[in-house]
Amino acid sequence: MTDATLNDDAGELNPVPATDYLWRAIYIIAGFFIAAIFLMPIVWSISNSFKLPAETLSNPARLIPENFSLQNYRNLDTVGDGVLSFVGNSLYLAVGTVVVTLLISVPAGYGFSKFRFPGQNVLFIAILATMMIPFQSILTPLFLILVKLRLANTLNGLVLVYVTFQLPFSIFMMRNAFDAVPKALIESARIDGASQWSLMRRITLPLALPGVATVAMFAFLNSWNEFLAALIFLSQEEKFSLPVMLVNVTTGIRGLIDWGALQAGITLTMVPCILLFLALQRYYVRGLVAGAVK
């Protein structure tokens, strides 16, 4: 094998050992193999969702549908009052959770990062400590609080419950994101007469966008996929979220489960998550790495 060359700092060409190519090839093959393991269930669900109902359980199974069909998606809307009509409820819960979480966590993270006040570290540790409490253990107190606020069995009440679960991690991420902004930049803006509000909105917040994207993605995914709290806090069927309504598909009618419709429902729940991840992937990775090294 002929060795290739690379330029060193002095501009001279140095040979690249053939073993480097071997290790790179091993890493690439291992990466494709691991990716295939994780992606295969997703690809299989998407493929089954476009098969005809009779082909879904055919033996031997085919990865590529023999005849592409939207019949499973049409069947999905005939279960109960129609599963597709509950997509709007899930979107309302997910988007509402993202908006309220960002409205609270961004200024809170900025305050913990840029201000000093008595008991600051104790308060921040107390917020982080709530991340270790299983959310199932506080469902009953939260339900009683919502009853007092007359928000029980409402989508707005469930949004507040989801925000409660998201805030500790979100404040932690936003504080780290604001800590990464160079102090010299902030001091320069202060010398130029920038107000505190202007500092946060025009100077630090644009540089903290990876943290904002990370918080938005976590809040959306967790609220979009959440099942237990939605099942407990919502009692009227027209307010159910998509994961709760999919239970009707998994239990079937008179014991008969429509596997094709179930695969279509799973695919439907994945689409917003995949689109959001693709849109925010660049910011998400940067924000996650920044939070991990703090």
Side-chain angles (χ1 to χ4, degrees):
M1 177 181 293
T2 303
D3 290 343
T5 58
L6 289 177
N7 291 325
D8 61 8
D9 294 339
E12 298 179 353
L13 298 178
N14 295 321
V16 177
T19 54
D20 284 4
Y21 287 107
L22 177 62
W23 280 113
R24 290 178 189 176
I26 293 175
Y27 290 149
I28 292 173
I29 294 173
F32 274 106
F33 180 73
I34 295 173
I37 293 175
F38 284 96
L39 290 177
M40 183 52 70
I42 298 175
V43 174
W44 197 264
S45 293
I46 295 175
S47 172
N48 280 339
S49 70
F50 290 104
K51 293 178 181 176
L52 290 171
E55 189 185 355
T56 305
L57 299 178
S58 63
N59 190 16
R62 294 168 55 92
L63 178 60
I64 300 176
E66 187 174 0
N67 296 302
F68 280 89
S69 172
L70 296 177
Q71 184 61 45
N72 290 324
Y73 290 91
R74 287 192 286 269
N75 292 344
L76 189 66
D77 206 31
T78 60
V79 178
D81 292 332
V83 176
L84 295 179
S85 60
F86 295 89
V87 173
N89 289 346
S90 285
L91 282 176
Y92 183 88
L93 291 170
V95 174
T97 301
V98 171
V99 172
V100 178
T101 300
L102 287 177
L103 287 176
I104 297 175
S105 63
V106 170
Y110 184 82
F112 277 111
S113 174
K114 303 304 177 187
F115 293 97
R116 296 293 177 267
F117 51 87
Q120 180 184 23
N121 292 333
V122 175
L123 179 59
F124 187 69
I125 292 174
I127 292 175
L128 294 184
T130 60
M131 295 171 62
M132 294 183 285
I133 301 175
F135 84 96
Q136 294 90 343
S137 65
I138 59 174
L139 286 179
T140 300
L142 285 174
F143 181 77
L144 296 176
I145 292 173
L146 290 184
V147 171
K148 291 287 185 181
L149 296 175
R150 298 183 178 180
L151 289 174
N153 191 32
T154 65
L155 295 180
N156 290 333
L158 191 56
V159 167
L160 292 181
V161 172
Y162 289 160
V163 171
T164 302
F165 299 143
Q166 303 304 321
L167 275 182
F169 173 78
S170 302
I171 293 174
F172 170 74
M173 286 297 302
M174 290 313 305
R175 194 199 73 158
N176 290 344
F178 284 121
D179 280 346
V181 178
K183 292 182 180 178
L185 189 63
I186 298 175
E187 293 300 326
S188 299
R190 282 177 176 161
I191 293 174
D192 291 339
S195 63
Q196 197 62 246
W197 168 250
S198 182
L199 277 176
M200 186 187 78
R201 187 175 63 86
R202 300 177 60 183
I203 305 298
T204 59
L205 189 57
L207 297 175
L209 279 182
V212 175
T214 304
V215 169
M217 177 166 287
F218 267 87
F220 185 91
L221 296 182
N222 289 336
S223 54
W224 175 264
N225 295 318
E226 204 285 329
F227 170 76
L228 182 59
L231 181 65
I232 293 175
F233 286 92
L234 300 175
S235 57
Q236 292 177 301
E237 185 174 308
E238 63 269 21
K239 298 177 182 177
F240 283 173
S241 62
L242 187 58
V244 175
M245 283 308 300
L246 283 178
V247 172
N248 289 339
V249 183
T250 58
T251 53
I253 301 175
R254 297 177 183 176
L256 298 176
I257 301 176
D258 189 340
W259 293 103
L262 180 59
Q263 299 291 336
I266 294 173
T267 302
L268 191 65
T269 58
M270 288 191 295
V271 170
C273 302
I274 294 174
L275 294 179
L276 183 64
F277 180 79
L278 293 177
L280 300 179
Q281 180 184 14
R282 182 180 57 176
Y283 297 107
Y284 170 72
V285 173
R286 287 166 52 191
L288 203 60
V289 172
V293 299
K294 290 294 179 182

